[in-house]
Amino acid sequence: VGGKVLEQFKKITHRSPMLSLANAFNEEDLRDFDRKIVEVLENSNVEYDCELKIDGLSLSLVYENGELQYGATRGDGSVGEDVTHNVRTIQSIPLRIDYQGSLEVRGECFMSKATLEKLNKEKEANNETLFANCRNAAAGSLRQLDSKIAAKRNLDTFIYTLVDPQRYGVTDQIQSLEWMKEKGFNINPYYRRCSTIDDVINYINEITKIRNELPYDIDGIVIKVNDMRKHELIGW
């Protein structure tokens, strides 16, 4: 979903585009996805990584020599909004990490169901318009000009992308998640290594059963070829 960059925010051009995802709506689509990848790689042993698709707002975080330089929204994928003043209020985002050099990670800023319920009770008591859902609440909170408002909204993050992973000796997605977790980033625990597309489908069925019990909203499952060295061969 593209986002219009508001004039009130400083614009940030992403170092590499923040791309969108292709959709699969049923088992047939998934098997077709798998078949195409197997054909391109000429290898039937394709390992996948499955993760929850958190329903929030995409975020890029850039660090230099261990210090957070800025946080930016996805915007239109090429240019986003500088929301560093609000990012610094989110407790799950480290302001400093143990790494010398340049580092960019990406993830999702979201609001929990419990926080949304609490905020809407406050709004109702004040005869204010309620937030429609967690995603709208998170987006509206992260794009506040006043960081004091954002700080009160109890936003959270899950980080899921290490940009240019091979610079850090990381070659697969699950390894990148574990590498980022070691650096202090908040990683969603529901990721899973899947050896076959049947394993992927089983994972989806398992998550479907517990989806409503999760403390945050999801709007699907993200499926990635685990070996990131193969991504250039497969294409985007």
Side-chain angles (χ1 to χ4, degrees):
V1 178
K4 185 178 179 182
V5 178
L6 299 179
E7 290 301 320
Q8 301 98 310
F9 291 95
K10 174 185 169 186
K11 296 178 177 62
I12 287 185
T13 300
H14 300 301
R15 297 177 176 185
S16 60
M18 294 183 72
L19 302 172
S20 54
L21 297 169
N23 289 322
F25 295 103
N26 50 49
E27 185 175 324
E28 184 181 350
D29 289 347
L30 286 172
R31 294 195 182 279
D32 191 47
F33 167 74
D34 178 62
R35 178 184 56 77
K36 288 175 181 175
I37 289 170
V38 167
E39 286 177 3
V40 169
L41 297 178
E42 298 179 344
N43 184 352
S44 59
N45 297 316
V46 179
E47 185 178 76
Y48 295 104
D49 159 58
C50 292
E51 303 172 29
L52 303 186
K53 187 173 181 294
I54 310 300
D55 196 9
L57 189 70
S58 295
L59 192 63
S60 164
L61 303 172
V62 171
Y63 293 78
E64 295 291 344
N65 295 323
E67 292 209 9
L68 176 67
Q69 297 299 299
Y70 65 80
T73 63
R74 179 180 182 273
D76 63 5
S78 298
V79 178
E81 298 159 336
D82 184 342
V83 289
T84 311
H85 62 298
N86 290 332
V87 161
R88 289 181 177 277
T89 71
I90 301 173
Q91 291 187 8
S92 60
I93 295 178
L95 301 181
R96 291 181 180 81
I97 59 171
D98 182 17
Y99 182 79
Q100 291 299 305
S102 184
L103 173 75
E104 181 180 0
V105 298
R106 293 171 177 178
E108 200 81 357
C109 175
F110 68 96
M111 181 179 287
S112 71
K113 294 175 183 176
T115 297
L116 176 69
E117 185 178 359
K118 180 183 175 185
L119 282 174
N120 273 344
K121 282 182 179 177
E122 291 173 1
K123 281 181 167 291
E124 191 172 27
N126 295 324
N127 293 317
E128 297 174 356
T129 304
L130 305 186
F131 287 119
N133 51 52
C134 291
R135 185 186 190 281
N136 287 2
S141 301
L142 191 65
R143 300 173 84 195
Q144 287 288 332
L145 295 176
D146 184 353
S147 62
K148 291 178 183 176
I149 297 175
K152 292 177 181 176
R153 298 283 176 83
N154 198 27
L155 295 172
D156 207 342
T157 56
F158 284 126
I159 303 301
Y160 50 71
T161 297
L162 175 63
V163 178
D164 294 330
Q166 293 182 51
R167 284 180 56 189
Y168 316 103
V170 173
T171 58
D172 70 52
Q173 173 63 11
I174 290 177
Q175 185 186 4
S176 78
L177 291 172
E178 292 167 353
W179 190 91
M180 291 186 291
K181 184 178 180 180
E182 286 177 8
K183 297 299 177 189
F185 295 104
N186 199 31
I187 306 301
N188 187 278
Y190 284 96
Y191 64 88
R192 183 179 300 176
R193 187 188 305 269
C194 293
S195 300
T196 66
I197 199 66
D198 287 324
D199 290 344
V200 170
I201 291 165
N202 289 337
Y203 172 88
I204 292 168
N205 290 335
E206 286 178 35
I207 295 299
T208 300
K209 291 177 183 176
I210 65 167
R211 178 176 184 168
N212 292 332
E213 299 166 21
L214 295 169
Y216 41 78
D217 284 337
I218 66 171
D219 57 340
I221 305 294
V222 182
I223 303 156
K224 308 174 184 180
V225 173
N226 192 36
D227 188 342
M228 292 185 284
R229 295 168 295 186
K230 294 175 180 174
H231 290 189
E232 290 291 341
L233 291 170
I234 297 166
W236 305 103

